[in-house]
């Protein structure tokens, strides 16, 4: 009898090793009964839609998505023609995607900026698509938006600084200018497709939160970015290297304005829809981690991710950190500069072999350049999107 049981478990072990399948949502349990149950295998999800919200570390996530698409030779639903976003701030429709009329639902990845419209997105993406997005605490988010969009948003442009704006927002903010002022109030609520000037009515907000819960399989939290990447890795059954990243589209610390305690409280009221959105999904985020990974395993994997990230930085970067825009040597890797922000970028080591260089270039490539490059790969007969900077590669074969 013992020999039969031993042979059974030996067979399971060999079978698991043979298929090299990844282990999803498995955590060590003290329960003897659970330990006897072999972990359920899973396959990497390759049909994925990421709703790219504003000022939430979403450019870093987009880079992760683009690299994953290239690694597995997947198709990306890219903006049509010269655009770098999918019709934003207009509500998304399927025709905003290049080639949709001929390609239909044969896209694997969607991750450029759009204002969410589930019925239209489902026309583009397969039925088994995994939907996720990312949120950020509205307090630092509004300060970041103020600096980044200072030159474009009337409510920001006409105010002296972020604290002056928040002391009397309605003095500067006019809802009728919604297309230009959307970044000044409840921007995440707007990105998810809802009215960012709506009344904060309990029944309404609860209905929206339930809507988002229904439409998205996972909501990450930018304030816990490494933890988010581990949860994403587990949920999508990806490898650790699939979620390794260098922080993109970040700004220099000297452009950060200090919020007064009064301003912080005012943001909670001024952006109350975003505040409720954040509180709801921050809670579900940690509940999801406890139910699937466990805090102890999470910490170990976060440490592993940071160790691996450091290895990549030591391999790729000459300064081991991001540098100011005027210190970026290769202008082809210069990030888009906006408002009063100084958007940081990277310098790569000069003695890298071709394969390593290409890997490192992809990891530091800003959003506009990467979108332009992928567009040229997928639509070689179309005019390449113009970034207004030197090309990193003069031909796609380099």
């Amino acid at each position: 009898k013992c020999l039969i049981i031993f042979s059974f478990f030996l067979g399971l072990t060999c079978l698991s090793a043979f298929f090299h399948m990844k282990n999803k949502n498995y955590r060590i349990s003290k329960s003897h009964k659970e330990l006897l149950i072999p972990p359920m295998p899973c396959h990497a999800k390759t049909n994925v839609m990421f709703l790219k919200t504003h000022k939430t570390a979403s450019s870093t996530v987009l880079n992760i998505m683009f690299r994953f698409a290239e690694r597995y030779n997947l198709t990306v639903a890219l903006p049509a023609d010269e655009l770098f976003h999918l019709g934003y701030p207009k509500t998304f429709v399927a025709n905003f995607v290049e080639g949709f009329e001929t390609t239909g639902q044969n896209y694997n990845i969607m991750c450029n900026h759009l204002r969410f419209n589930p019925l239209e997105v489902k026309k583009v993406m397969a039925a088994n698509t995994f939907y996720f997005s990312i949120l950020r605490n509205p307090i630092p988010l509004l300060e970041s938006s103020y600096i980044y969009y200072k030159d474009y948003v009337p409510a920001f442009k006409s105010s002296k600084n972020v604290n002056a704006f928040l002391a009397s927002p309605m003095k500067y903010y006019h809802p009728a200018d919604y297309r230009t002022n959307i970044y000044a109030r409840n921007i995440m609520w707007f990105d998810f497709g809802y009215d960012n000037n709506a009344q904060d009515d309990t029944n309404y907000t609860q209905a929206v939160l339930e809507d988002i819960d229904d439409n998205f399989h996972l909501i990450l939290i930018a304030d816990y970015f490494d933890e988010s990447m581990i949860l994403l890795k587990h949920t999508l059954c990806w490898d650790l290297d699939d979620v390794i990243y260098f922080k993109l589209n970040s700004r220099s610390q000297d452009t950060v304005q200090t919020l007064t305690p009064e301003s912080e409280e005012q943001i909670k009221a001024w952006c109350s829809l975003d505040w409720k959105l954040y509180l709801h999904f921050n809670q579900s985020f940690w509940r999801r981690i406890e139910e699937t990974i466990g805090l102890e395993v999470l910490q170990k994997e976060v440490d592993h991710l940071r160790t691996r990230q450091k290895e990549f930085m030591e391999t790729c970067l000459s300064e081991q950190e991001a540098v100011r825009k005027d210190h970026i040597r290769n202008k082809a890797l210069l990030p888009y500069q906006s408002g009063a922000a100084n958007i940081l970028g990277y310098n790569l080591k000069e003695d890298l072999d071709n394969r390593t260089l290409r890997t490192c270039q992809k990891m530091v490539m800003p959003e506009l350049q990467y979108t332009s490059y992928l567009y040229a790969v997928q639509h070689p007969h179309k005019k390449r999107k113009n970034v207004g900077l030197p090309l990193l590669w003069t031909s796609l074969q380099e």
Side-chain angles (χ1 to χ4, degrees):
K1 185 177 180 180
C2 290
L3 183 60
I4 293 172
I5 294 173
F6 174 77
S7 300
F8 171 72
F9 281 105
L10 182 62
L12 284 177
T13 303
C14 293
L15 188 63
S16 175
F18 175 77
F19 284 107
H20 294 284
M21 289 184 174
K22 299 172 190 172
N23 178 3
K24 176 188 179 187
N25 297 344
Y26 178 72
R27 55 194 170 115
I28 298 172
S29 169
K30 292 180 181 178
S31 164
H32 178 68
K33 184 178 180 182
E34 286 184 31
L35 283 172
L36 291 176
I37 301 173
M40 291 294 291
C42 72
H43 299 278
K45 291 181 173 63
T46 53
N47 291 330
V48 183
M49 189 276 170
F50 169 59
L51 176 61
K52 187 179 188 297
T53 47
H54 285 80
K55 311 312 298 171
T56 58
S58 61
S59 292
T60 303
V61 180
L62 176 134
N63 181 273
I64 288 170
M65 300 296 292
F66 278 173
R67 286 187 284 119
F68 182 83
E70 286 205 272
R71 178 179 178 182
Y72 294 99
N73 196 29
L74 305 175
T75 55
V76 182
L78 294 167
D81 303 321
E82 292 295 303
L83 294 179
F84 287 88
H85 52 73
L86 291 160
Y88 194 90
K90 296 177 182 176
T91 301
F92 176 79
V93 294
N95 285 336
F96 290 161
V97 174
E98 185 66 72
F100 167 71
E101 291 181 357
T102 54
T103 304
Q105 279 193 324
N106 294 320
Y107 293 97
N108 304 114
I109 302 292
M110 174 183 272
C111 56
N112 288 83
H113 273 307
L114 60 81
R115 189 177 185 209
F116 192 61
N117 182 359
L119 294 179
E120 289 293 308
V121 170
K122 286 174 182 176
K123 291 180 182 178
V124 178
M125 303 302 291
N128 67 344
T129 295
F130 182 91
Y131 289 78
F132 80 102
S133 188
I134 189 166
L135 300 175
R136 183 184 182 187
N137 187 322
I139 295 173
L141 183 148
L142 191 132
E143 186 278 330
S144 177
S145 295
Y146 186 92
I147 300 301
Y148 195 82
Y149 298 111
K150 176 69 173 171
D151 296 342
Y152 313 111
V153 174
F156 293 160
K157 197 172 185 179
S158 58
S159 55
K160 182 180 178 182
N161 56 47
V162 67
N163 290 306
F165 167 73
L166 288 165
S168 184
M170 288 307 294
K171 178 181 176 182
Y172 307 101
Y173 182 89
H174 303 292
D177 300 330
Y178 91 95
R179 284 190 182 276
T180 49
N181 268 335
I182 52 175
Y183 303 102
R185 189 179 196 188
N186 295 313
I187 182 59
M188 296 187 293
W189 198 265
F190 183 87
D191 287 347
F192 275 86
Y194 303 99
D195 180 5
N196 60 319
N197 292 307
Q199 291 294 316
D200 186 354
D201 172 81
T202 302
N203 291 334
Y204 165 70
T205 55
Q206 187 59 37
V208 168
L209 294 176
E210 289 174 5
D211 252 4
I212 296 173
D213 268 322
D214 289 341
N215 287 325
F216 289 84
H217 299 96
L218 179 66
I219 303 292
L220 304 177
I221 302 296
D223 311 81
Y224 306 99
F225 194 79
D226 287 348
E227 292 83 355
S228 290
M229 291 304 98
I230 297 303
L231 181 57
L232 184 69
K233 177 184 82 74
H234 274 264
T235 310
L236 296 181
C237 208
W238 288 7
D239 294 326
L240 181 66
D241 278 6
D242 291 329
V243 296
I244 295 293
Y245 68 93
F246 293 155
K247 188 184 292 187
L248 299 179
N249 208 37
S250 61
R251 59 189 164 124
S252 58
Q253 278 299 115
D254 61 343
T255 66
V256 177
Q257 294 186 7
T258 302
L259 292 165
T260 64
E262 293 78 14
S263 290
E264 292 189 357
E265 289 304 309
Q266 175 69 338
I267 290 172
K268 295 177 186 178
W270 174 245
C271 297
S272 63
L273 300 175
D274 271 3
W275 183 246
K276 287 188 174 180
L277 185 67
Y278 175 76
L279 291 179
H280 176 84
F281 285 104
N282 183 53
Q283 186 178 49
S284 68
F285 171 80
W286 289 106
R287 184 169 62 246
R288 181 78 164 262
I289 284 175
E290 290 176 357
E291 291 173 352
T292 58
I293 305 172
L295 295 176
E296 187 177 343
V297 173
L298 174 72
Q299 189 55 56
K300 289 179 181 177
E301 294 206 24
V302 165
D303 291 343
H304 190 190
L305 180 145
R306 290 171 179 168
T307 299
R308 188 76 177 120
Q309 182 185 51
K310 187 177 179 182
E311 291 172 1
F312 270 90
M313 295 182 83
E314 289 172 350
T315 298
C316 295
L317 307 180
S318 57
E319 287 94 352
Q320 306 295 297
E321 62 181 3
V323 299
R324 295 173 64 90
K325 62 183 180 182
D326 49 339
H327 293 159
I328 299 171
R329 292 192 295 268
N330 187 343
K331 298 309 176 186
L333 292 173
L334 181 71
Y336 177 73
Q337 302 295 317
S338 178
N342 186 320
I343 305 301
L344 306 177
Y346 295 94
N347 288 319
L348 300 179
K349 288 183 175 179
E350 297 180 357
D351 58 347
L352 301 174
D353 64 80
N354 288 339
R355 184 175 180 181
T356 304
L357 175 63
R358 188 77 167 204
T359 298
C360 295
Q361 286 172 331
K362 296 289 180 66
M363 291 192 70
V364 304
M365 191 182 294
E367 178 180 336
L368 300 188
Q369 287 92 315
Y370 214 150
T371 299
S372 175
Y373 162 73
L374 277 187
Y375 185 86
V377 171
Q378 290 191 185
H379 308 284
H381 302 299
K382 294 274 187 176
K383 181 182 177 183
R384 187 163 183 165
K385 295 178 187 291
N386 183 19
V387 183
L389 294 169
L391 290 175
L392 188 59
W393 308 297
T394 54
S395 72
L396 300 178
Q397 284 72 41
E398 282 185 37

